[in-house]
């Protein structure tokens, strides 16, 4: 897709991976947005040049301040604008004259409050200079790998995620901020985060195209309230899902929600049924809640499964029964262990363990018993996916079971999906598993729901690439 990218989309690189940034509207007052943004770049360890712009300050956080961007002698790749709405046009014009190619416009007061003419003028300026403009009325962007952080919420209030393969696009800054904070706490990594607000210039389709060609992005996750060109979104997503999974949560499905979306980002929400049908056609994975958005996204840290046969390991029989019910409900299937696997398990597990699927290794199971079971199912060609249920409350289980699960997952041979239900002790171990790329779920039903989407996408991906191979041979 890289050859087909427009100049505007290519210039998004200046937003996500700049060597130098100007913060226009930088402030010496700690409670001001312009101060927080500069501080986040400084404290976050951004390696490039930082240029605060404020006509009434000589220095901000130890950095020399400039009256305007045109006074900066060096090249500036990107600008973050946080000035009052009436001043935005002239500031944006200066950015264009300076040769800045990427702009994040935090300021609101445009189409979301009925100021459509003002927003149109901003778009005209940005297009005249080929600037990739994010916003207005947005929260900003984060690229953990290059320490880019234009989000205007302090680091001590909003956690920042580690480097990972998920890129997150959010039309809403508030929802985006919650996702970033939750991802940080859970240990889930991100490649890029962007809150794009009113989409005066760069919209969700431009961002999808950019992330489709971004090597650091393995999964694209989108929170969407409305779009201006539904056909373009469908065709864009349809091409991307041949290469990378796309997970979308569509908000504004109710009539009241649609009105709220219009006043929030100035976008029309459209028919929920139409969106769902379009997503299905484009092979987009649709989430219905924020929880599902997380659940569906993080499973793609695992290798794609070769089939839909699931092997369950559990130290609690009831959890195995619940998982089995969910598997049947979703139209998936339990794997039938090979005779070789059965012999291996009989030789290593206690006589009272139930050697069938679900494999109940009993409530007195220790880490060694989990290791035996995992090794056996990893070798069994009749098992495509392993659902690993760990009840950390049992007396014999300790933190070593986490190491065993991570080692098995690191082999990259089969997806391992963990179910860990419980309180703070369990949550602590879940965060460790997540930080090493093992997706964890609070219940068997949540895990199986995510697995069903995982399998469906894997089937689509495999089918497309097999067809592509046949075509290339011809």
């Amino acid at each position: 897709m890289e050859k087909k990218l427009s100049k505007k989309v290519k210039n998004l690189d200046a937003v996500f991976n700049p060597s130098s940034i100007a913060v226009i509207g930088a402030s010496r007052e700690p409670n001001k947005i312009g101060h927080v943004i500069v501080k986040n770049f400084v404290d976050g360890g951004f390696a490039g040049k930082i240029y605060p712009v404020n006509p009434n300050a000589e220095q901000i956080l130890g950095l020399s301040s400039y009256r305007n961007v045109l006074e900066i002698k060096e090249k500036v790749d990107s600008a973050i604008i946080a000035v009052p709405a009436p001043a935005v046009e002239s500031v944006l014009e200066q950015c264009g004259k300076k040769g800045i190619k990427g702009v994040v416009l935090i300021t609101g007061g445009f189409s979301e409050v009925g100021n459509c003419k003002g927003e149109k003028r901003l778009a005209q300026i940005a297009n005249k200079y080929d600037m990739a403009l994010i916003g207005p009325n947005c929260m900003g962007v984060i690229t953990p790998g290059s320490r880019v952080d234009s989000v205007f919420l302090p680091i001590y209030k909003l956690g920042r995620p580690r480097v990972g393969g998920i890129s997150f696009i959010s039309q809403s800054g508030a929802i985006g901020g919650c996702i970033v904070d939750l991802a940080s706490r859970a240990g889930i990594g991100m490649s890029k985060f962007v809150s794009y607000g009113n989409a005066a210039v760069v919209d969700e389709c431009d961002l999808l195209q950019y992330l489709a060609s971004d090597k650091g992005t393995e999964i694209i996750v989108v929170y969407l309230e409305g779009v201006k060109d539904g056909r373009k979104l469908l065709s864009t997503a349809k091409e991307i899902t041949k290469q990378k999974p796309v997970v979308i949560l569509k908000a504004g499905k109710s009539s009241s929600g649609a009105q709220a979306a219009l006043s929030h980002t100035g976008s029309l929400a459209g028919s929920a049924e139409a969106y769902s049908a379009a997503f299905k056609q484009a092979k987009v994975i649709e989430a219905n809640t924020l929880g599902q958005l997380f659940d569906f996204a993080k499973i793609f840290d695992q290798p794609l499964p070769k089939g839909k046969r699931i092997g369950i390991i559990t130290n609690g029989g009831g959890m195995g029964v619940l998982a089995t019910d969910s598997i049947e409900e979703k139209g998936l299937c339990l794997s039938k262990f090979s005779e070789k696997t059965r012999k291996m398990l009989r030789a290593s597990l206690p006589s009272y363990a139930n050697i069938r699927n679900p494999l109940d290794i009993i409530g007195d199971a220790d880490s060694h018993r989990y290791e035996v079971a995992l090794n056996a199912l990893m070798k069994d060609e009749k098992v495509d996916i392993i659902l690993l249920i760990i009840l950390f409350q049992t007396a014999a289980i300790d933190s070593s079971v986490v190491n065993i699960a991570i080692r098995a997952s690191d082999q990259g041979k089969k997806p391992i999906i963990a179910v860990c239900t419980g309180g703070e002790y369990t949550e602590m171990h879940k965060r460790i598993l997540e930080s090493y790329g093992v997706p964890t779920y609070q219940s068997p039903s949540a895990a199986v729901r995510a697995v069903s989407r995982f399998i469906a996408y894997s089937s689509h991906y495999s089918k497309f690439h097999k067809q592509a191979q046949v075509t290339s041979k011809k």
Side-chain angles (χ1 to χ4, degrees):
M1 294 190 73
E2 196 170 350
K3 292 180 182 178
K4 299 178 183 177
L5 295 182
S6 66
K7 190 175 287 187
K8 174 182 65 176
V9 174
K10 286 182 179 178
N11 283 341
L12 280 169
D13 221 34
V15 171
F16 291 108
N17 298 298
S19 298
S20 54
I21 61 105
V23 181
I24 306 171
S27 175
R28 289 171 294 189
E29 298 180 37
N31 62 333
K32 297 281 188 179
I33 285 174
H35 181 90
V36 173
I37 294 171
V38 176
K39 187 171 174 58
N40 286 348
F41 272 97
V42 172
D43 292 352
F46 178 64
K49 294 281 188 179
I50 307 167
Y51 302 105
V53 176
N54 183 329
N56 302 312
E58 291 186 4
Q59 276 199 342
I60 295 174
L61 291 171
L63 300 168
S64 296
S65 182
Y66 298 81
R67 290 179 58 81
N68 58 64
V69 291
L70 296 174
E71 284 192 358
I72 303 170
K73 293 180 180 179
E74 295 83 1
K75 180 186 175 185
V76 180
D77 293 331
S78 181
I80 298 104
I81 301 175
V83 300
V88 170
E89 279 187 50
S90 61
V91 165
L92 192 60
E93 184 74 38
Q94 289 174 355
C95 289
K97 290 177 179 177
K98 177 65 181 172
I100 293 171
K101 293 304 177 187
V103 176
V104 176
L105 178 51
I106 304 293
T107 309
F110 295 93
S111 66
E112 82 280 5
V113 294
N115 183 12
C116 298
K117 289 183 179 179
E119 187 165 302
K120 189 175 181 181
R121 287 195 296 271
L122 298 182
Q124 289 169 344
I125 295 168
N127 290 329
K128 179 171 71 171
Y129 293 103
D130 288 324
M131 285 187 286
L133 172 67
I134 303 289
N137 183 36
C138 72
M139 181 183 275
V141 308
I142 299 174
T143 308
S146 57
R147 305 288 184 176
V148 168
D149 186 349
S150 59
V151 168
F152 58 81
L153 300 177
I155 293 172
Y156 72 90
K157 285 189 174 182
L158 179 83
R160 268 41 175 194
R162 65 177 178 85
V163 178
I166 299 174
S167 280
F168 186 73
I169 302 170
S170 179
Q171 198 164 8
S172 162
I175 296 295
C178 292
I179 290 287
V180 167
D181 206 15
L182 288 168
S184 174
R185 186 179 188 276
I188 296 169
M190 283 190 183
S191 175
K192 310 280 188 300
F193 164 79
V194 53
S195 153
Y196 66 97
N198 295 4
V201 176
V202 172
D203 62 17
E204 58 285 333
C205 293
D206 298 319
L207 292 165
L208 281 167
Q209 287 173 3
Y210 175 80
L211 294 172
S213 61
D214 176 46
K215 292 180 180 178
T217 300
E218 296 169 6
I219 312 109
I220 303 172
V221 182
V222 187
Y223 170 80
L224 194 65
E225 291 180 352
V227 296
K228 292 166 184 174
D229 190 340
R231 289 184 183 276
K232 184 182 176 185
L233 175 66
L234 174 60
S235 61
T236 302
K238 198 171 185 178
E239 285 303 309
I240 294 171
T241 56
K242 295 172 184 176
Q243 304 296 333
K244 297 179 181 182
V246 177
V247 182
I248 297 181
L249 170 59
K250 173 69 182 68
K253 289 182 176 179
S254 65
S255 57
S256 299
Q259 287 299 314
L262 180 61
S263 63
H264 183 205
T265 57
S267 293
L268 295 172
S271 161
E273 292 79 10
Y275 275 112
S276 292
F279 292 155
K280 192 172 183 180
Q281 186 180 345
K283 305 303 180 184
V284 163
I285 302 161
E286 185 178 14
N288 292 314
T289 65
L290 272 178
Q292 287 183 10
L293 196 70
F294 255 110
D295 287 351
F296 297 165
K298 63 188 179 182
I299 199 169
F300 286 93
D301 259 351
Q302 292 290 303
L304 291 177
K306 294 177 181 178
K308 61 179 182 179
R309 299 168 299 181
I310 302 169
I312 302 171
I313 300 171
T314 181
N315 62 339
M319 295 292 274
V321 173
L322 288 173
T324 303
D325 286 345
S326 295
I327 286 168
E328 185 174 316
E329 180 190 337
K330 292 295 179 185
L332 308 178
C333 65
L334 287 173
S335 58
K336 293 182 178 178
F337 299 153
S338 68
E339 188 53 41
K340 185 177 180 182
T341 297
R342 291 174 185 275
K343 285 180 180 178
M344 190 185 306
L345 292 171
R346 284 195 195 97
S348 303
L349 295 179
S351 58
Y352 51 85
N354 197 349
I355 310 300
R356 64 178 186 180
N357 197 7
L359 176 58
D360 184 0
I361 56 175
I362 315 301
D364 64 350
D366 57 8
S367 297
H368 173 69
R369 211 177 288 176
Y370 268 101
E371 188 171 23
V372 167
L374 261 174
N375 286 341
L377 268 61
M378 288 290 283
K379 292 174 183 177
D380 194 332
E381 293 182 0
K382 293 185 177 182
V383 177
D384 300 312
I385 301 170
I386 298 174
L387 192 63
L388 185 67
I389 301 172
I390 309 171
L391 298 179
F392 281 96
Q393 297 88 343
T394 59
I397 290 297
D398 57 27
S399 298
S400 60
V401 73
V402 170
N403 296 329
I404 290 163
I406 291 168
R407 281 200 302 270
S409 178
D410 284 347
Q411 294 177 33
K413 294 178 180 178
K414 294 178 184 179
I416 296 175
I417 317 302
V419 176
C420 311
T421 306
E424 188 51 44
Y425 184 75
T426 299
E427 286 296 319
M428 176 185 73
H429 289 94
K430 282 177 68 176
R431 287 195 289 272
I432 297 170
L433 286 165
E434 295 276 11
S435 69
Y436 282 90
V438 180
T440 69
Y441 297 87
Q442 189 69 20
S443 68
S445 60
V448 174
R449 189 186 300 116
V451 167
S452 70
R453 302 301 197 283
F454 191 41
I455 290 171
Y457 176 77
S458 177
S459 175
H460 163 67
Y461 180 89
S462 300
K463 185 177 179 181
F464 170 76
H465 283 272
K466 282 178 183 176
Q467 288 173 345
Q469 288 173 359
V470 170
T471 304
S472 64
K473 287 178 181 178
K474 289 180 179 179

